Structures are given as structure tokens and as C-alpha cells.
Amino acid sequence: MTESVGTAESTSEPTLSVYDAIRRRRDVRAEFTGKPIAEDVLRRILGAGHCAPSVGNTQPWDFIVVRDTGTLADFADHVAGARSRFAESLPEDQKKTFDPIKIEGIRESGMGVVVTYDRSRGGEHILGRHTIDDTGLFSAVLAIQNLWLAAAAENVGVGWVSFYDESYLAELLGIPDPVRPIAWLCVGNVTEFQQVPDLERFGWRGRRPLADAIHLEKF
Ligand SMILES: Cc1cc2nc3c(=O)[nH]c(=O)nc-3n(C[C@H](O)[C@H](O)[C@H](O)COP(=O)(O)O)c2cc1C
């Protein structure tokens, strides 16, 4: 990242507990203000992503900061197509539930951070990936979770968009083979964080009780 990435005034690092950040974090779609986030805030958020653990210490992620309005518009149009196709695939009752649900804030956030995964980083012999190839991808996803929690601590919203064809996004952003775009994250200032996830509020799907997720000794 060589050029300036924000115009708003800088702020000092927040001192929220990790539990508070976990509780505040939401997938944000409708609450973006469009006001740019400060450069040092963006740096801290990306820095948190870059602190993630990774298999063989490969650090297989990169972060592409996208603010060009033409690129945001192109991607938003592409995502709208993917959303329509998903809606058409649904049975009538699920389609009705899905209709009012917003699945992205690409234009409104004013910024996308595209996280990529480079499987070739670190060469052929990746310590720890020889048995489970997915651990490379897991590592890049951990960078996203770090970034997401740091953003919540900074009062910055993040919305993960996955309604896209990988090859389209790779071409749009000039991502070379074998690097894969694994997430488009809408990142920006927000009016508020919802208390309840959108998919729960709109009746799509709620959170499972913790007790159902905990197993003792065997699955
Ligand atoms: C891998 C992944 C892909 C996602 N893709 C989308 C998406 O395309 N559009 C969207 O609105 N939310 C997307 N989400 C957000 C989830 O819908 C959201 O995390 C979930 O409903 C729980 O809400 P919360 O994050 O606010 O707790 C995605 C989340 C993950 C982890």
C-alpha cells in the first residue's frame, strides 16, 4: 500500500476488550455512512489481519484496498446478478423471506478490502500443510477474522460479500494465478451496529444455542 488510503481525521487506538469486540462485531450491510475511515485506522485494521497465525508461517493473504467508484459499481452490478440467480433458485416461501434481505453495502461503504489467498507462498514444502491442504485457506480466513474484530473495536463496520464468481473478481482486480480472491469485505464507518444479525432479524436463520455446539469426549 503506497498511496494514502483515507481522508478522515486520525484517532488513537481503542482499548476495548476482545470480548467486547466479539460482542459488537456484526456483518454490516445497511448501516454504512459513506464517510471515509482515517488512514491510521485502516492501517491498524489491516495490521490486525496481518498478525494472524498461519500454517508454516506462510502468511498467504494479501489485502487489496478498492475505492475507485467505477470498480465498486462494476462489482456491485456483478453481485446483483448473483443475488438474482440465488433468489430465483429458492422455493417460494424462502424467496419471500430472502427478498427484503440486503446482502451487500459495496457502494455505500465506499471501500472494499479484497482478501486473497496465495497457495504458492512459502514454496512446496509447507510445514503443517502436508497433511491438510485446507490449512492454507484456513490461515487466510483467520486474517479476515482478526481484521473484522479489530474493525469492530475501531467502530468500523465490515460486511463480507461472497455472491460473486471468483474468476470475475480476479480479472476485475488483476489478481494473478494461482492467487484466489477469497472475500470482498465492505469496510466503512457506520451509523450503528445491529444487536441481532440481519439473517436472524429477517427470519432467515438464527443462532444455535451454544449447548448444541459443545460435545464432550465424542461428537
Ligand atoms: C464466508 C462468509 C461469507 C459471507 N457472505 C455473505 C454475503 O455474501 N452477503 C452477506 O450479506 N453476508 C455474508 N456473510 C455474513 C453472514 O451472513 C453473517 O456472518 C451471519 O449471518 C451472522 O451474522 P453476524 O456476522 O452479524 O453475526 C458471510 C459470512 C461469512 C463468514
Side-chain angles (χ1 to χ4, degrees), residues 13 16 19-20 26 40 50 59-60 63 82 95 99 109 112 140 158 164 168 171 178-180 191 194 200:
E13 197 173 298
L16 213 62
Y19 286 105
D20 286 336
R26 275 276 77 78
D40 60 337
H50 197 57
Q59 304 147 69
F63 308 108
K95 191 176 174 319
D99 268 350
S109 61
V158 171
Y164 61 82
Y168 171 85
E171 182 157 354
V179 183
R180 293 176 59 192
T191 51
Q194 294 290 344
E200 190 166 333

Side-chain angles (χ1 to χ4, degrees), residues 14 34 40 53 70 78 108 137 147 170 172 175-177 182 192-193 208:
D40 60 337
H78 173 77
E108 302 93 310
L137 199 53
L147 182 163
L172 184 70
I175 298 168
D177 234 22
I182 60 166
E192 59 172 336
F193 286 91
R208 297 164 69 206

Side-chain angles (χ1 to χ4, degrees), residues 25-29 79 101-105 141 148 158-164 182-184 194 196-200 205 207:
R25 187 209 58 80
R26 275 276 77 78
D27 187 81
V28 175
R29 296 114 177 182
V79 167
I101 298 177
K102 198 167 159 57
I103 55 111
E104 51 84 13
V141 175
W148 208 340
V158 171
W160 187 323
V161 184
S162 55
F163 281 60
Y164 61 82
I182 60 166
W184 178 293
Q194 294 290 344
V196 178
D198 278 13
L199 295 195
E200 190 166 333
R205 194 175 174 85
R207 186 165 285 276

Side-chain angles (χ1 to χ4, degrees), residues 83-99:
R83 187 192 194 285
S84 301
R85 285 191 294 282
F86 179 65
E88 280 158 22
S89 75
L90 294 171
E92 209 43 47
D93 57 330
Q94 273 193 307
K95 191 176 174 319
K96 275 208 183 83
T97 311
F98 180 63
D99 268 350

Side-chain angles (χ1 to χ4, degrees), residues 3-30:
E3 56 184 292
S4 168
V5 290
T7 53
E9 274 173 35
S10 57
T11 55
S12 55
E13 197 173 298
T15 54
L16 213 62
S17 86
V18 70
Y19 286 105
D20 286 336
I22 287 168
R23 276 188 284 268
R24 179 187 292 172
R25 187 209 58 80
R26 275 276 77 78
D27 187 81
V28 175
R29 296 114 177 182

Side-chain angles (χ1 to χ4, degrees), residues 90-163:
L90 294 171
E92 209 43 47
D93 57 330
Q94 273 193 307
K95 191 176 174 319
K96 275 208 183 83
T97 311
F98 180 63
D99 268 350
I101 298 177
K102 198 167 159 57
I103 55 111
E104 51 84 13
I106 298 161
R107 289 187 178 88
E108 302 93 310
S109 61
M111 184 168 75
V113 173
V114 175
V115 182
T116 60
Y117 167 54
D118 183 356
R119 199 189 171 283
S120 67
R121 189 162 301 150
E124 259 192 49
H125 303 286
I126 305 300
L127 188 155
R129 205 184 68 192
H130 56 296
T131 40
I132 303 172
D133 195 62
D134 285 344
T135 51
L137 199 53
F138 298 162
S139 305
V141 175
L142 286 167
I144 296 175
Q145 181 70 346
N146 266 16
L147 182 163
W148 208 340
L149 290 177
E154 299 274 3
N155 256 321
V156 168
V158 171
W160 187 323
V161 184
S162 55
F163 281 60

